[in-house]
Amino acid sequence: MMALTYRDLHMKPRKEILPDVCDLLDDDHKAVRKMFLEFRQMATANTAGSVNTRKDLAMRICAELTMHATVEEEILYPALRKEFRQTLLLAEAQVEHAGARDLIAQIRSANEVNEMFDAKVMVLGENVDHHVKQERIDIFPKARATSLDLVAMRKQVTQRKEELRAALATPA
Ligand SMILES: [Fe+2]
């Protein structure tokens, strides 16, 4: 890949160059996908020693996904709802989030790391793959075609995620 020159940077509108909220959310997607792959490998090998690690990993996946879905629902989707003429796509994403939350609740309350536990985490991973595809193919490009300031929204989402992460770290 060629490096951007001073001229490139100054000829293009800032919006195209600075990482925006979609880039940030897609970084979440990549990070969580890596965690799911790691989980799948461990679950497939199913060594007795990996039970605790698998449980920890599943809990981290649940925490990351919950934060991701929360910022999308609180910040990105409501803003897009005002901009998109066709909002069915956003409704679909919301239904998918609800399905994910349901699986997350089941995973969190599981008493045992068994085949059903592993299966739930893997199905959650498949749901997330679908969500990612839809955002990359449809939602993000449409968001970038609006006049929304997605670079400013990135800051807002970053801040909200920090709040959520801090709340997670301090048990109520
Ligand atoms: Fe997402």
Side-chain angles (χ1 to χ4, degrees):
M1 203 177 82
M2 259 176 36
L4 285 175
T5 63
Y6 179 86
R7 187 168 181 276
D8 290 329
L9 285 168
H10 291 267
M11 292 298 287
K12 287 188 178 174
R14 283 165 64 87
K15 198 178 150 188
E16 282 180 35
I17 296 162
L18 295 175
D20 64 12
V21 70
C22 302
D23 295 310
L24 177 75
L25 293 169
D26 208 41
D27 286 344
D28 283 355
H29 294 156
K30 286 176 200 148
V32 96
R33 171 147 182 79
K34 237 173 112 180
M35 291 159 85
F36 275 120
L37 286 176
E38 205 185 317
F39 185 92
R40 180 177 282 275
Q41 278 170 357
M42 277 199 278
T44 310
N46 193 24
T47 52
S50 85
V51 166
N52 285 338
T53 326
R54 238 146 85 205
K55 183 151 193 177
D56 285 350
L57 185 55
M59 294 308 132
R60 279 199 285 133
I61 289 174
C62 291
E64 290 302 321
L65 282 179
T66 304
M67 283 189 286
H68 180 85
T70 303
V71 293
E72 286 186 339
E73 283 166 15
E74 283 183 1
I75 301 168
L76 179 66
Y77 294 171
L80 296 181
R81 252 185 193 282
K82 291 185 193 151
E83 297 288 324
F84 287 4
R85 262 193 296 158
Q86 168 69 272
T87 53
L88 183 61
L89 207 56
L90 297 171
E92 207 185 314
Q94 234 165 311
V95 171
E96 281 183 349
H97 279 178
R101 280 186 204 280
D102 183 45
L103 264 180
I104 287 171
Q106 289 184 43
I107 293 164
R108 278 181 166 155
S109 63
N111 296 318
E112 251 188 283
V113 176
N114 52 21
E115 205 176 51
M116 281 310 282
F117 180 89
D118 292 340
K120 282 171 185 169
V121 177
M122 292 196 295
V123 169
L124 179 63
E126 282 153 21
N127 293 356
V128 169
D129 282 346
H130 181 258
H131 159 83
V132 171
K133 235 181 256 166
Q134 207 142 36
E135 290 202 320
R136 281 186 187 159
I137 294 172
D138 269 329
I139 300 182
F140 291 166
K142 288 195 173 104
R144 283 175 171 147
T146 67
S147 57
L148 288 169
D149 187 348
L150 299 178
V151 175
M153 200 186 287
R154 179 189 174 99
K155 284 197 193 109
Q156 200 188 342
V157 163
T158 304
Q159 207 180 343
R160 183 67 183 125
K161 276 185 76 187
E162 277 165 16
E163 279 170 22
L164 292 167
R165 203 177 286 282
L168 272 181
T170 359

